[in-house]
Amino acid sequence: MIRKILIANRGEIAVRIIRACKELGIISAAVYSEADKGALHTILADESYLIGPAESSKSYLSKESIIKLAKEINVDAIHPGYGFLAENSEFIKLVEDSGIKFIGPSSRSVKMMGSKTAARKLMKKHNVPIVKGTTEPIKSVSEGLNYAGEIGYPVLLKASAGGGGKGMRKVFSETEFEAAFESTRRESLKAFGSEEIYIEKLIENPKHIEVQIIADEYGNYRHLFERECSIQRRHQKIIEESPSSFLDTATRKSITEAAINAAKACEYYNAGTVEFLMDNDKNFYFLEMNTRLQVEHPVTELVTGIDLVREQILIASGEKISFTQDEVKQAGSAIECRIYAEDSSQGFLPSTGKLKFYKEPGGPNVRVDAGVMEGSEISIYYDPMISKLICWGKTREDAVNRTLRALDEYFIGGVSNNISFLKFILESEIFKKGNHNINSVEQKLLKEFEIEVTGNQGNEFEKAAAILAAHIKNSKKEKVLSAHSNLNKWRDLLYE
């Protein structure tokens, strides 16, 4: 059994891993940058070590520093969480070569799935459906134009080494192609260090469905059903849920089998996620494989009752998966909302500063994964996520209602937040009916939200409350924001 784990991450995912370690009786060692001194994960861990300056390139992304520290403090394993070095095959190889266990897949599997073109080629070979397009990088504009003509417009240009919505351009006609080709290559080179791009048919208004898989090093594979991740802004997920209300039994069986085949194709082990696009006729196509734990893994944990981080650690310790496929059941419905420090009424501008007031929601079947506490600093250096709210209900309607109630219980002071926008989405008819797709937020919901915000600003009572709030903010040098700013202004201003 692993005795001591270094957690090469920060924030809520570091806290999540620390909790799993404590329950397993494993020593947890946290790393932190100068900007994260005194952060929640450093307090909860058994041991904490300064890893470098605030800039992630000199701290959380410093491969050599992390491995050097791991050796010095004599850890058995490194857990990368997600982001930073979690999918860096070079880092994983360095860990493997050092004799330390990497809690995740092999460097070989990560490298195979890291190139989108190589992954598409591999999936095609193993009968996993892929979107019509190229399986090799496009070398020139003329070559790309030929492929686009064969596939038919609209098409999508994508960075081969891409991810996170970067390095992507939609092209609707031949006249747009050259400019899109050059800009995609530039963005790809800047973001990923490679200008290789490929082309595929654009599936208009698809759903984003992903399947959680887990495998051990003895060749045992399991799926933990699907997550619906179609609520996105700028290709970034905002709200996730499980199960998807769009899938029927037959489609669910087909897509989970395809995910297992994808994992087997790259000889995968530990936790991973296979992502698919699905059209209105429930045809699905391989998008990519995330070779790590996902941000949204808690919704799967709530509907299956399986602790994914615990399983990751046990598998890395040399154990077999602790459950059979028949034992994995979907019970009820779970929804996750990402609470960000951003001002949704001002174009989602990032909000930085100290959390002068912070109260999380609670109650039955309400889970909050957070890496902050009152007094924590939301800095310019890292992702502005404050916390993740995950709620479970017997039905999807129950889960939605519980999530709305829990969002109302948040009180966050010192920085702005996106809670009002999350509530707006959950209360929208398109979400309630499950008719949303990956373009629904930007094509419909954002516009409707802006109209509502503008309308609220025209209300005289709202104006008076805003003036009073501004006066209090200036006199006390602080800002307290409630989740429900349109209902009880006196409570928002702490006149209770």
Side-chain angles (χ1 to χ4, degrees), residues 48-60:
S48 294
Y49 300 91
L50 178 65
I51 197 69
E55 295 90 343
S56 56
S57 61
K58 300 177 182 178
S59 52
Y60 298 108

Side-chain angles (χ1 to χ4, degrees), residues 79-122:
H79 197 307
Y82 56 75
F84 292 131
L85 295 169
E87 293 180 282
N88 188 304
S89 60
E90 291 180 7
F91 172 69
I92 300 170
K93 186 68 168 63
L94 288 173
V95 176
E96 293 168 345
D97 291 345
S98 72
I100 298 171
K101 187 69 179 180
F102 182 79
I103 302 179
S106 68
S107 58
R108 180 174 174 271
S109 293
V110 173
K111 190 172 183 178
M112 290 171 72
M113 303 307 286
S115 166
K116 300 299 183 291
T117 48
R120 280 169 54 81
K121 189 184 299 184
L122 188 64

Side-chain angles (χ1 to χ4, degrees), residues 120-152:
R120 280 169 54 81
K121 189 184 299 184
L122 188 64
M123 294 303 104
K124 187 176 182 180
K125 181 180 177 181
H126 287 80
N127 299 316
V128 178
I130 65 171
V131 179
K132 189 176 181 181
T134 63
T135 54
E136 298 288 346
I138 305 167
K139 295 181 174 62
S140 65
V141 172
S142 60
E143 183 182 2
L145 282 168
N146 288 335
Y147 276 120
E150 291 176 12
I151 296 168

Side-chain angles (χ1 to χ4, degrees), residues 80-83 86-87 105 212 268 271-273 290-295 312:
Y82 56 75
E87 293 180 282
Q212 176 70 58
Y268 196 90
T273 300
N290 291 127
T291 52
R292 54 171 168 78
L293 194 68
Q294 289 278 83
V295 179
Q312 281 192 294

Side-chain angles (χ1 to χ4, degrees), residues 12 16 19 297-302 306-307 309 335-336 360-369 388-392 406 410:
E12 58 87 14
R16 170 72 183 90
R19 287 171 173 161
H297 76 274
V299 294
T300 294
E301 293 183 327
L302 291 191
I306 293 170
D307 185 329
V309 179
I335 294 173
E336 175 177 299
E360 295 175 348
N365 300 310
V366 172
R367 168 176 166 178
V368 177
D369 282 16
K388 301 184 310 197
L389 171 68
I390 315 98
C391 297
W392 181 90
Y410 265 105

Side-chain angles (χ1 to χ4, degrees), residues 181-423:
F181 179 86
E182 296 300 340
S183 60
T184 306
R185 289 183 67 177
R186 286 194 300 271
E187 185 176 338
S188 177
L189 183 62
K190 182 179 178 181
F192 310 110
S194 168
E195 61 180 13
E196 288 189 350
I197 63 173
Y198 67 101
I199 185 171
E200 63 182 29
K201 178 69 177 177
L202 175 65
I203 302 174
E204 298 189 80
N205 300 320
K207 279 185 167 289
H208 186 137
I209 308 292
E210 62 187 30
V211 177
Q212 176 70 58
I213 65 97
I214 195 160
D216 58 33
E217 296 183 38
Y218 304 96
N220 300 304
Y221 291 83
R222 309 281 186 265
H223 72 76
L224 281 76
F225 295 101
E226 85 284 355
R227 294 186 289 258
E228 164 89 52
C229 305
S230 300
I231 294 294
Q232 303 177 12
R233 188 179 72 87
R234 295 179 182 171
H235 305 291
Q236 297 293 323
K237 301 165 188 173
I238 304 171
I239 297 173
E240 300 99 346
E241 61 179 313
S242 183
S244 168
S245 60
F246 186 66
L247 268 61
D248 53 45
T249 302
T251 308
R252 181 170 288 115
K253 184 175 185 295
S254 297
I255 200 170
T256 52
E257 286 177 354
I260 292 291
N261 288 339
K264 288 180 177 178
C266 62
E267 299 176 2
Y268 196 90
Y269 55 75
N270 215 275
T273 300
V274 186
E275 303 198 351
F276 298 91
L277 294 179
M278 183 174 288
D279 65 22
N280 289 330
D281 296 320
K282 298 182 181 176
N283 299 306
F284 58 87
Y285 308 93
F286 173 82
L287 177 62
E288 64 181 347
M289 185 171 187
N290 291 127
T291 52
R292 54 171 168 78
L293 194 68
Q294 289 278 83
V295 179
E296 58 272 21
H297 76 274
V299 294
T300 294
E301 293 183 327
L302 291 191
V303 297
T304 64
I306 293 170
D307 185 329
L308 278 165
V309 179
R310 180 188 178 93
E311 287 295 322
Q312 281 192 294
I313 295 171
L314 293 177
I315 288 169
S317 297
E319 298 189 19
K320 293 183 178 180
I321 299 174
S322 66
F323 52 89
T324 66
Q325 188 63 68
D326 289 341
E327 290 173 327
V328 185
K329 307 293 183 185
Q330 282 178 307
S333 179
I335 294 173
E336 175 177 299
C337 292
R338 303 189 188 191
I339 314 299
Y340 283 112
E342 59 186 17
D343 192 342
S344 51
S345 67
Q346 297 295 324
F348 297 91
L349 288 172
S351 181
T352 58
K354 183 173 286 188
L355 279 174
K356 296 183 178 179
F357 189 78
Y358 180 67
K359 175 187 171 295
E360 295 175 348
N365 300 310
V366 172
R367 168 176 166 178
V368 177
D369 282 16
V372 300
M373 56 187 174
E374 196 163 293
S376 291
E377 191 79 20
I378 306 297
S379 76
I380 61 172
Y381 296 104
Y382 315 115
D383 187 299
M385 183 185 289
I386 298 172
S387 65
K388 301 184 310 197
L389 171 68
I390 315 98
C391 297
W392 181 90
K394 288 185 178 180
T395 66
R396 185 174 187 264
E397 184 179 5
D398 290 339
V400 170
N401 291 336
R402 180 162 287 135
T403 304
L404 286 167
R405 186 269 295 169
L407 287 170
D408 271 344
E409 291 185 10
Y410 265 105
F411 281 84
I412 300 171
V415 296
S416 300
N417 63 72
N418 65 332
I419 289 175
S420 60
F421 185 54
L422 293 170
K423 288 182 61 184

